[in-house]
Amino acid sequence: MLLLSLATLTVTMSDEIVLQTRALTKVYRDFWGRQKVRALKALDLEVQRGEVFGLLGPNGSGKTTTIKLLLGLLFPTEGEALVFGKPASDVGKNERLGYLPEESYLYRFLTAEETLDFYGRLFDMPADVRNQRVDELIKLVGLERARKRQLQEYSKGMTRRIGLAQALINDPELILLDEPTSGLDPIGTREMKDMILRLKDEGKTVVMCSHLLADVQDVCDRIAILHQGELKELGRVDELLTVADVTQIRARNLSAECRSEIRETIARHHGELLAMDNPTTTLEELFLTIVRDSEARPGRRAGVK
Amino acid sequence: MVLEQQLLPYFQWLLTGGDDQIGALPTFALVFLGLVMAGLAVGYAIAAARHGLLRGGDVTYHTIVDGLREIIDTSPRRIWALARLAIKESLRRRVGVALGVYFLILLFANWFLSTNHQDPARLYLSFVLTATTYLVIGVAVLLSAFSLPGDFKSKTIYTVVTKPVRAGEIILGRIIGFTIVVTALLAIMSLGSYVFVIRSLDHAHSVDASTLERIVDANDSTIGQSGRTTTDAGHFHEFKLDADGYAATSTVNGHTHEISPAGENRFAVSGPHGFVRARVPQYGKLRFIDRNGADKDRGISVGNEWTYRSFIDGNTPATAIWTFDEVSPAMGQQYLPLALIVRVFRTHKGVIGRPIAGQIQLRNPETKATSDPFPFDAMDQQVAEYNINRELTTNNGQPIDLYEDLVSKGGQVEVLVKCLERGQYFGFAQPDCYVRLPDGSPAASYAKVCVSIWVQAVVVIAVGVTISTLVSGPVALLFTAGFIILGLWRQDFVDIATGKSYGGGPAESVYRILTQANVMVKLEESVLTSLLVGFDRFFAKPIMWAVAQFLPDFSAYSTVEYAAEGYNVPWDRVFQDVTTCLAYVAGLALMGYFLLRTREVAR
């Protein structure tokens, strides 16, 4: 009985790990086989089912290399990458996987409809299922009016949206997003982040890499920070960002007396007051408010308070 | 028509082969096995260098096992999706421009093609089919060499290989897609070419009334009229009308017209007949008797480097003898239809303007009963058609029946051809004399020629797509072009590899060029020359020999000569070409699969 329980537990646990790397290393070599750069050094990672995982790091830190190794686009020099417990080079894993590359590498002579139909066929989807899925996704990414236009006529934001749609064509369990907000305007960025959160709510696992810290902070449950191919930090975002020795108080409608009292209380308890002022909104919030106001009242200057 | 290699029946070609070659299927199996072994060795060497000896073996094993599994998992829907993509990509890359170029060529073709030619159909057909071949193969090379490298460059391949697409499906999809494009191009070009040839050769004559003269019999009664047609398309025809006013004109420039009455003293002349033909020959076996009366396999040489034909000397017992099988009245109730092509070699001018005389006799190989000689005038390299009457006489004037007396019980008859003029020679090869079976459909034969062009294009596509999995577009283009060029001169390549040609291998050739030593000069003995010869013998020539084993013989694929010379393309030939093509596609697709599977897509 105990043995059975242990076995069940093991299966459940391994089933919960969607993605795993063991001492994953990648060395780029030149034509003569000489080492050019060690892009990734012995990376050990595990991503659990249903979480949004962020790979964070400056340019050249090894984020995209990691994604490519996980997809089997590159072969590891040492170590291994497992997706759904299968080696990354196994094509079968792709049945349950969606991938949005750094730039939407799509066939620009196809229309949105043709693009999604093409990728649907690659999943061996029957025509009726494929057509239904194409309609759903075009609606989801808001390209109904441009569905018959060739991608070469698309703006960058539209291209990213159709790129995301192709990544979701098979309703994947795991979605790998390489710089998902790259090239998007603030509205597009927000929509992309909302989409990631929606996918999470649907129980999908999302792995994204980005160097835009705010994006990662907004959507990721856990992050790994890479620098020069090495893993520097790994953990939950809220835990990593928590500053343990600082207390933050946010309140509305405080009088001057009350503020003065708070200062005195802090001083009495030998605390150090770091700041007490009116918060500012983010530029992103400001921009979104202006655009929404403009759409609601066309032709009038937005009045933001 | 020149046929340097005997065409074997399809199944014999496929299974057992001819006198000095094994069957195509065993050859394919051997080459395939050789390539698999070589691929395994190279693959393991690379894997071992990358991962160590044990892990390298494991990687190689899994690559093979996964590869076999993936072949089973191949999905027709995915292949078709990728084929459709290749078609759309081709259209985007303005493949239709090739059609524009082609029709532009046809528009101006009449500037340098003339209907006033000894054999205008040959000229026209040869031109349009050659142009079609070059254009279609050119398009095939460009499409196949740049497609996958383009995907690698634009990184669109990332979004394809991250779907459950097998590498083999990518290769097959590309090959099928481009094949469809090339097939459509070829169909349009071929149809356009056929219409162009037929319309260009079409012309009309009328009877030139001023040339009409009565033909009278011994009693001065009119039994017909002779005359000639008007001169159109640079020629005229002579004719002899019968008493009812009907006639077939003389053959000029490979065609005739029919004349029929169209009212009082008026005649109608039909369009040209016989321009485009599809002769169906039944070949016999050729042997010779030399000037001393001895049996020989070949005649004598007159010094030509090309040894296709050998010669018999005139006014001697030297004879060329063809033995035909399965001869029966079904070939012609009243006559035996024969065709003879003679290569005339003159050692003196003879009588200016008069052709060299020869004779044909028929002989029963068993009873040795021989017909009276049938004289003919040999026109150099022209197809002369003779209808040998069924009622013949022997040398001593006894009447004999061709089928009853000259054909053996086994259905064999011998045709004996001699040159009658001293100091002149007739040259023959086996296909130079044949029994004419009823002509096939010229349009069907033309279509079969187009199939041979298609075969070449598909092989080129398969080569281009396969090599483009490994290298960039321009390199793939060069490689494919090199493959075609080597394939066109495959025999020379094999001759160098096997040491049959003079001048040694590549290293020795370079040395000879640099030292200006022609191929017949013996190399001086030195350490350097020994090294060079050794390099050729133990390295260059074995590699060349190995390459030659899977190098397609492009020169042998072309059947343009069949159409140009007015012969029907045999079905055996078509089936052999298509089978070879499928073997190349299968082999190359498999090779492409492993090349693509073992390369880093995001490299």
Side-chain angles (χ1 to χ4, degrees):
Chain A
M1 188 69 183
L2 181 64
L3 276 175
L4 184 67
S5 300
L6 275 173
T8 312
L9 183 66
T10 311
V11 169
T12 311
M13 281 185 73
S14 62
D15 205 33
E16 285 301 303
I17 298 170
V18 171
L19 203 149
Q20 192 174 24
T21 67
R22 294 177 191 148
L24 191 63
T25 303
K26 181 65 187 175
V27 176
Y28 288 112
R29 297 183 188 279
D30 65 9
F31 180 79
W32 307 106
R34 293 174 302 190
Q35 181 173 326
K36 259 186 357 190
V37 61
R38 185 173 278 267
L40 201 60
K41 297 169 190 167
L43 178 67
D44 287 309
L45 272 184
E46 278 185 1
V47 176
Q48 307 284 326
R49 181 178 300 281
E51 71 176 334
V52 179
F53 188 89
L55 280 169
L56 205 59
N59 291 335
S61 58
K63 306 183 298 290
T64 300
T65 297
T66 306
I67 295 274
K68 286 176 178 173
L69 286 164
L70 289 168
L71 287 164
L73 295 172
L74 289 174
F75 301 148
T77 309
E78 284 168 32
E80 62 179 346
L82 300 173
V83 181
F84 300 119
K86 292 177 178 174
S89 58
D90 188 329
V91 180
K93 73 174 192 308
N94 294 344
E95 296 277 2
R96 299 156 67 187
L97 184 149
Y99 168 54
L100 173 67
E102 188 176 357
E103 288 179 33
S104 300
Y105 303 126
L106 302 170
Y107 294 96
R108 300 174 64 80
F109 51 88
L110 298 180
T111 64
E113 250 178 25
E114 288 171 338
T115 300
L116 296 184
D117 183 73
F118 167 66
Y119 289 108
R121 283 170 190 267
L122 297 188
F123 281 97
D124 220 353
M125 292 163 78
D128 51 342
V129 178
R130 205 168 59 233
N131 293 338
Q132 188 189 341
R133 190 72 186 143
V134 168
D135 287 340
E136 281 172 11
L137 285 171
I138 285 183
K139 199 173 168 190
L140 182 75
V141 296
L143 288 172
E144 294 104 315
R145 293 168 67 183
R147 62 189 295 160
K148 302 271 185 203
R149 280 166 58 190
Q150 288 188 329
L151 302 196
Q152 59 200 359
E153 298 168 14
Y154 274 25
S155 68
K156 181 143 191 186
M158 291 164 84
T159 311
R160 291 301 281 169
R161 286 192 220 174
I162 194 69
L164 180 65
Q166 67 79 28
L168 301 177
I169 187 79
N170 57 325
D171 193 17
E173 295 170 41
L174 168 66
I175 301 129
L176 297 169
L177 306 173
D178 194 353
E179 305 283 1
T181 55
S182 153
L184 292 180
D185 61 20
I187 301 170
T189 303
R190 171 58 66 92
E191 284 173 354
M192 180 64 80
K193 288 193 282 193
D194 289 346
M195 176 71 71
I196 293 169
L197 293 173
R198 198 182 313 160
L199 291 169
K200 184 193 170 192
D201 291 343
E202 289 172 12
K204 316 279 187 201
T205 310
V206 179
V207 175
M208 58 179 278
C209 71
S210 178
H211 55 257
L212 301 175
L213 310 183
D215 295 347
V216 175
Q217 184 182 349
D218 286 348
V219 295
C220 289
D221 299 318
R222 286 200 309 141
I223 56 167
I225 298 175
L226 297 173
H227 186 238
Q228 294 178 345
E230 285 185 72
L231 180 65
K232 296 294 181 187
E233 190 61 82
L234 174 68
R236 293 195 59 80
V237 175
D238 44 12
E239 287 170 8
L240 291 174
L241 296 185
T242 301
V243 184
D245 60 345
V246 175
T247 304
Q248 185 176 323
I249 300 168
R250 297 178 74 187
R252 195 191 296 271
N253 298 330
L254 292 185
S255 63
E257 292 79 21
C258 180
R259 286 184 199 166
S260 165
E261 211 170 302
I262 289 169
R263 281 195 190 92
E264 285 168 12
T265 306
I266 290 169
R268 201 164 51 244
H269 290 279
H270 309 294
E272 182 189 357
L273 181 63
L274 296 176
M276 182 181 285
D277 48 23
N278 295 107
T280 56
T281 183
T282 62
L283 193 54
E284 181 187 351
E285 284 297 335
L286 175 68
F287 179 83
L288 291 173
T289 310
I290 290 171
V291 171
R292 282 179 199 136
D293 188 56
S294 168
E295 282 172 355
R297 297 182 297 169
R300 291 185 59 181
R301 189 184 171 113
V304 180
K305 291 178 183 175
Chain B
M1 181 183 170
V2 172
L3 281 176
E4 293 200 67
Q5 284 188 338
Q6 190 190 355
L7 184 69
L8 298 173
Y10 177 71
F11 286 107
Q12 186 187 347
W13 167 84
L14 187 69
L15 301 173
T16 55
D19 296 333
D20 53 352
Q21 59 184 28
I22 59 172
L25 201 58
T27 307
F28 177 77
L30 282 175
V31 172
F32 183 77
L33 203 65
L35 282 177
V36 166
M37 299 307 285
L40 270 178
V42 172
Y44 174 69
I46 293 170
R50 250 188 215 164
H51 307 286
L53 293 178
L54 280 178
R55 176 97 175 100
D58 186 52
V59 168
T60 311
Y61 169 76
H62 277 103
T63 304
I64 295 163
V65 172
D66 291 350
L68 293 174
R69 202 179 62 228
E70 286 188 6
I71 288 169
I72 296 164
D73 290 343
T74 298
S75 153
R77 189 180 274 133
R78 281 196 289 266
I79 292 176
W80 178 233
L82 290 156
R84 277 168 46 121
L85 183 77
I87 295 169
K88 284 179 182 168
E89 183 194 331
S90 307
L91 297 177
R92 185 189 65 88
R93 285 164 67 181
R94 309 268 190 276
V95 74
V97 170
L99 281 179
V101 171
Y102 185 71
F103 286 111
L104 205 63
I105 291 172
L106 287 193
L107 273 178
F108 293 97
N110 276 323
W111 281 10
F112 42 90
L113 294 177
S114 166
T115 51
N116 187 22
H117 181 268
Q118 186 178 312
D119 190 357
R122 179 191 163 84
L123 195 68
Y124 273 77
L125 283 168
S126 179
F127 171 77
V128 292
L129 287 171
T130 305
T132 303
T133 306
Y134 284 138
L135 270 174
V136 166
I137 288 183
V139 168
V141 172
L142 289 174
L143 286 180
S144 60
F146 285 99
S147 175
L148 267 177
D151 271 17
F152 281 109
K153 198 175 174 187
S154 66
K155 298 181 180 176
T156 43
I157 193 84
Y158 289 11
T159 53
V160 174
V161 296
T162 50
K163 306 289 183 284
V165 177
R166 277 64 183 171
E169 292 167 344
I170 295 175
I171 306 289
L172 274 179
R174 284 287 194 295
I175 292 176
I176 291 171
F178 294 141
T179 298
I180 290 171
V181 172
V182 163
T183 307
L185 277 183
L186 181 60
I188 296 169
M189 286 183 187
S190 305
L191 201 66
S193 298
Y194 197 72
V195 172
F196 170 75
V197 170
I198 298 297
R199 287 185 64 85
S200 297
L201 296 179
D202 192 27
H203 62 275
H205 296 280
S206 54
V207 169
D208 185 352
S210 65
T211 63
L212 287 176
E213 288 179 7
R214 286 171 57 230
I215 304 173
V216 292
D217 62 7
N219 302 324
D220 202 30
S221 301
T222 303
I223 56 169
Q225 294 183 85
S226 67
R228 61 183 223 191
T229 64
T230 51
T231 300
D232 295 288
H235 67 279
F236 63 85
H237 300 261
E238 292 176 337
F239 58 82
K240 286 181 180 170
L241 296 169
D242 62 16
D244 297 327
Y246 290 93
T249 66
S250 59
T251 301
V252 178
N253 292 353
H255 71 282
T256 63
H257 299 263
E258 285 170 4
I259 301 174
S260 56
E264 197 169 337
N265 288 330
R266 291 178 64 198
F267 300 93
V269 182
S270 72
H273 294 300
F275 258 137
V276 184
R277 293 184 61 185
R279 298 184 187 92
V280 181
Q282 180 178 315
Y283 294 112
K285 285 226 177 286
L286 173 63
R287 62 192 171 88
F288 291 87
I289 290 175
D290 71 5
R291 60 189 308 159
N292 300 316
D295 275 335
K296 297 279 180 188
D297 289 337
R298 290 182 60 80
I300 60 169
S301 166
V302 293
N304 284 345
E305 277 189 53
W306 190 38
T307 56
Y308 174 65
R309 290 191 171 91
S310 60
F311 289 75
I312 52 173
D313 22 19
N315 197 26
T316 69
T319 312
I321 304 173
W322 281 268
T323 307
F324 293 98
D325 293 327
E326 298 172 9
V327 177
S328 72
M331 292 170 164
Q333 281 294 334
Q334 298 305 317
Y335 55 84
L336 179 67
L338 273 184
L340 184 68
I341 304 163
V342 183
R343 182 76 180 92
V344 177
F345 181 77
R346 295 169 182 253
T347 56
H348 58 88
K349 286 181 181 173
V351 179
I352 301 295
R354 206 195 74 189
I356 306 295
Q359 69 171 44
I360 300 173
Q361 284 176 290
L362 269 58
R363 186 170 72 181
N364 185 319
E366 287 171 2
T367 64
K368 301 297 177 191
T370 310
S371 71
D372 207 22
F374 173 84
F376 70 92
D377 290 330
M379 306 293 286
D380 190 27
Q381 299 194 79
Q382 299 291 305
V383 181
E385 297 186 342
Y386 305 107
N387 292 329
I388 311 289
N389 273 330
R390 182 167 182 169
E391 291 166 4
L392 296 166
T393 52
T394 60
N395 285 335
N396 43 21
Q398 295 295 317
I400 48 168
D401 182 273
L402 193 156
Y403 292 112
E404 298 289 331
D405 302 311
L406 296 179
V407 176
S408 71
K409 285 177 187 166
Q412 289 186 319
V413 69
E414 289 179 339
V415 175
L416 289 69
V417 180
K418 279 186 175 182
C419 175
L420 296 180
E421 297 189 24
R422 186 183 178 81
Q424 313 291 27
Y425 295 79
F426 284 172
F428 296 112
Q430 189 156 286
D432 285 343
C433 182
Y434 55 86
V435 177
R436 284 157 31 227
L437 300 179
D439 276 7
S441 156
S445 184
Y446 181 85
K448 286 188 262 185
V449 175
C450 295
V451 170
S452 77
I453 298 172
W454 179 85
V455 162
Q456 295 172 66
V458 175
V459 172
V460 166
I461 287 170
V463 171
V465 170
T466 301
I467 195 64
S468 68
T469 57
L470 203 62
V471 294
S472 66
V475 179
L477 176 74
L478 281 175
F479 185 94
T480 312
F483 201 80
I484 296 169
I485 291 167
L486 278 185
L488 281 171
W489 280 276
R490 182 180 181 277
Q491 194 52 52
D492 296 326
F493 189 72
V494 172
D495 286 348
I496 293 170
T498 52
K500 281 184 188 165
S501 62
Y502 295 109
E508 186 182 328
S509 297
V510 170
Y511 180 79
R512 283 180 182 277
I513 290 168
L514 293 176
T515 57
Q516 298 185 341
N518 71 50
V519 293
M520 302 309 293
V521 173
K522 193 171 182 298
L523 281 186
E524 78 275 20
E525 289 184 10
S526 67
V527 176
L528 178 61
T529 55
S530 301
L531 280 173
L532 293 174
V533 171
F535 174 83
D536 280 343
R537 181 175 300 162
F538 298 109
F539 187 72
K541 285 184 179 178
I543 288 179
M544 288 175 74
W545 180 86
V547 170
Q549 299 313 304
F550 57 87
L551 201 59
D553 191 347
F554 278 106
S555 63
Y557 288 151
S558 175
T559 53
V560 171
E561 277 300 301
Y562 278 89
E565 300 265 2
Y567 286 88
N568 182 53
V569 181
W571 280 111
D572 282 324
R573 177 66 198 267
V574 177
F575 291 143
Q576 288 179 19
D577 286 353
V578 172
T579 307
T580 310
C581 170
L582 293 178
Y584 270 107
V585 170
L588 286 165
L590 195 65
M591 188 188 282
Y593 166 81
F594 281 106
L595 289 176
L596 190 55
R597 182 92 165 69
T598 51
R599 72 162 281 176
E600 288 184 318
V601 171
R603 186 176 54 197

